[in-house]
Amino acid sequence: MTTAALTAGLDRIPDQLGYLVISEDGVLASAGELENDEHTASVMMQMVRTASRFRLSGSPEPPFKRMSVILEDFVYAVTVSGQKVFVVKRQHNQQEPVSV
């Protein structure tokens, strides 16, 4: 699979600051603030592996397809598809709590 096919559409995500495409073999593609960011890739893969252990009893389905890691200034949106993990770093536009 070509890099262009792996990353199709990732650069069009609104408020996107960078992305990673990761497999068990390492980083397959990266751009923006996550370009060549092996450390973040390693941390995200470890989080995916940990989350994957939480299976509902008897369910053959993976326990999740998407995971969000929300930090103060940005969000990592993590999607698992096939044998690949797609991580997009997006600007976090915090909503102020509504006062009633």
Side-chain angles (χ1 to χ4, degrees), residues 30-80:
S30 62
E33 291 182 11
L34 297 178
E35 183 140 15
N36 300 320
D37 191 340
E38 297 283 342
H39 177 72
T40 298
S42 173
V43 170
M44 291 297 160
M45 282 301 282
Q46 191 59 47
M47 291 175 75
V48 166
R49 283 187 205 105
T50 300
S52 294
R53 289 190 206 117
F54 297 104
R55 288 191 183 269
L56 297 174
S57 58
S59 174
E61 291 295 309
F64 70 96
K65 288 186 172 70
R66 290 195 182 84
M67 175 172 62
S68 297
V69 180
I70 303 171
L71 303 169
E72 191 170 345
D73 297 326
F74 51 88
V75 175
Y76 290 109
V78 183
T79 303
V80 179

Side-chain angles (χ1 to χ4, degrees), residues 2-19 21 31 86-88 90:
T2 65
T3 301
L6 278 176
T7 61
L10 291 176
D11 52 357
R12 293 194 305 267
I13 295 173
D15 299 326
Q16 178 256 124
L17 301 171
Y19 62 79
V21 180
F86 297 84
V87 179
V88 177
R90 296 180 69 185

